[in-house]
Amino acid sequence: MQAPAPPPATAKTAPSFGDDLAFLRRYGEVQLLTSPTGARVAVSAKYQGRVMTSAVAEGGRSLGWVQRSFIEAGKTGTQFDNYGGEDRFWLGPEGGQFGLYFPPEKPFEFSAWQTPSGFQEGEWAVREQSTSRISFERSISVVNHAGTSFELRVARTVSLLLDDDVRKHLGATIPEGVQWVAFESDNRITNQGKKPWTEKTGLVSVWILAMYPPTPDTRVIVPFQRSGAGPIVNDSYFGKVPADRLVVREADGYLSFKCDGQHRSKIGLGPSRATPLLGSYSASAGLLTIVQYDKPSAAARYVNSMWEHQKDPFGGDVVNSYNDGPTEPGKPPLGGFYEIETSSPGAALRPGETLTHVHRTFHFVGAEPALASLAESILHVKLSDLR
């Protein structure tokens, strides 16, 4: 019998930002970024420089997903130190012959999956901080499934975004009555080793993962290039996604993916299909989330994270979305969240060279007509069609 996933949150049961901030501060220091509009972003050096959660106002709902039970337990060095957080730094690829999450000679099975310690253990050094910006640095060593070692330096800056940034990046004006919070993470990795990173022995990529609390009606929305080559979506990461959970509207150029935290599944889009924008919407929460990232205009090679020995280790996805659920029959879920993820191309760097990947998050809270206007202007999607 499968262990049930926890019930999805609702706008009424979700914790407030103040509640989550007070909880986090019981277990360590939290860096708080604040904007003139009242928006709040909680960042944690203790938990590897991740954005833990945010809110549109001081008394607003907590918009990130925080795994309280894991934090309360005080564990570290587990298979996955799942603190939560709506913008965390990882490196890809996950699986495959060059994967970082399966040690050499281990099978591509959940029992062998292990998050590298550099991504989930130890406090990251704060190099600069103000009321609206914080920068971190960390040296990391990782070994891939083929036995290749990587020595790298990570420089990560989290910044609040203001009105002009919304117009610049999204090309949209925020309707009257809509509250919002927006921030970005600028993530830079530098090859600190003595050898170049090459496809022959494997590459790494910057992988930013955003964890959010689901609701029963949460839908991730992914626009795609209709003229792109190959399949529109890869939905076979953890078994084929059921048709009632993934709807591809080919004529309209977008897909919707049900993310209620009840069924473990994952989707991804490759570089010829992905656009620089995706998001999610919950009518019951009155919440539209937009994720925007810097996607190279030229063709690029992306690492492949499929849990298998791959025919094309550099034919991977640019954007992904994960919906949590029981990991195996009779096993519990990882926490009952959903994710929106973006990746950089594979980093073919010579010693001393740097790759940068920027990931931006925009949360809009308001009535459906105003959010529908934003969704149509930014994602070119009619929210009424999601039903």
Side-chain angles (χ1 to χ4, degrees):
M1 184 176 180
Q2 285 192 346
T10 66
K12 292 182 179 180
T13 62
S16 71
F17 178 82
D19 288 341
D20 269 348
L21 182 62
F23 170 82
L24 291 167
R25 282 179 165 167
R26 289 203 295 270
Y27 296 90
E29 185 179 357
V30 177
Q31 292 75 31
L32 182 63
L33 307 183
T34 58
S35 82
T37 64
R40 300 284 192 271
V41 175
V43 188
S44 172
K46 178 179 180 179
Y47 301 132
Q48 300 76 55
R50 71 185 72 190
V51 176
M52 296 302 296
T53 188
S54 63
V56 298
E58 184 174 5
R61 187 167 72 250
S62 186
L63 300 175
W65 184 80
V66 176
Q67 175 71 309
R68 292 193 178 202
S69 59
F70 188 86
I71 291 171
E72 287 172 331
K75 296 179 181 179
T76 189
T78 68
Q79 190 176 24
F80 172 30
D81 287 0
N82 191 4
Y83 306 111
E86 60 172 312
D87 184 316
R88 77 177 187 272
F89 176 92
W90 271 10
L91 294 174
E94 188 173 12
Q97 53 268 48
F98 299 134
L100 303 175
Y101 299 72
F102 294 90
E105 300 183 2
K106 292 291 185 179
F108 300 122
E109 298 174 358
F110 186 78
S111 60
W113 180 68
Q114 175 62 55
T115 307
S117 61
F119 311 160
Q120 65 176 12
E121 296 180 48
E123 185 167 336
W124 285 30
V126 177
R127 295 304 181 202
E128 178 188 348
Q129 183 176 359
S130 69
T131 57
S132 61
R133 175 186 175 99
I134 185 167
S135 297
F136 304 92
E137 287 187 358
R138 178 71 179 264
S139 289
I140 292 177
S141 300
V142 290
V143 178
N144 70 16
H145 189 73
T148 305
S149 298
F150 298 86
E151 302 291 331
L152 60 148
R153 187 72 172 171
V154 181
R156 173 171 159 86
T157 299
V158 178
S159 305
L160 277 167
L161 300 177
L162 304 177
D163 295 63
D164 289 345
D165 299 307
V166 175
R167 286 189 287 269
K168 173 185 173 182
H169 295 299
L170 300 184
T173 300
I174 302 170
E176 187 175 349
V178 171
Q179 293 182 289
W180 61 278
V181 57
F183 57 90
E184 72 173 23
S185 66
D186 181 301
N187 306 274
R188 305 180 183 217
I189 58 172
T190 300
N191 181 350
Q192 284 197 312
K194 297 180 179 180
K195 297 180 179 180
W197 300 342
T198 67
E199 289 191 5
K200 183 178 180 180
T201 54
L203 300 177
V204 299
S205 68
V206 176
W207 185 13
I208 303 301
L209 304 97
M211 307 174 85
Y212 304 118
T215 62
D217 63 350
T218 298
R219 297 292 184 275
V220 165
I221 307 164
V222 189
F224 57 80
Q225 297 284 358
R226 282 173 286 188
S227 60
I232 292 172
V233 58
N234 173 9
D235 67 340
S236 57
Y237 278 92
F238 304 123
K240 190 76 172 174
V241 180
D244 63 334
R245 289 183 165 271
L246 177 63
V247 177
V248 178
R249 299 177 66 98
E250 189 165 2
D252 297 318
Y254 75 91
L255 61 83
S256 65
F257 177 44
K258 185 176 182 178
C259 285
D260 57 358
Q262 302 294 300
H263 179 87
R264 189 170 189 249
S265 47
K266 183 174 179 175
I267 62 170
L269 278 73
S272 72
R273 293 290 190 175
T275 76
L277 289 162
L278 65 164
S280 64
Y281 176 65
S282 167
S284 63
L287 173 64
L288 174 68
T289 295
I290 303 291
V291 170
Q292 191 264 353
Y293 65 101
D294 288 353
K295 182 176 183 282
S297 56
R301 303 271 277 168
Y302 286 80
V303 299
N304 190 339
S305 282
M306 294 291 290
W307 291 20
E308 62 189 18
H309 188 88
Q310 302 156 355
K311 293 180 180 179
D312 186 359
F314 301 100
D317 293 326
V318 185
V319 297
N320 295 94
S321 179
Y322 170 80
N323 184 48
D324 197 28
T327 56
E328 297 174 2
K331 300 289 185 179
L334 297 177
F337 53 90
Y338 78 97
E339 289 180 323
I340 293 177
E341 311 164 5
T342 70
S343 293
S344 75
L349 302 178
R350 293 189 293 269
E353 288 187 333
T354 298
L355 175 145
T356 301
H357 180 69
V358 181
H359 177 108
R360 301 180 183 92
T361 304
F362 305 81
H363 293 300
F364 301 102
V365 174
E368 182 164 316
L371 299 183
S373 174
L374 279 171
E376 191 157 4
S377 65
I378 298 169
L379 299 175
H380 307 296
V381 170
K382 293 183 178 180
L383 295 183
S384 58
D385 290 344
L386 298 180
R387 298 193 183 96

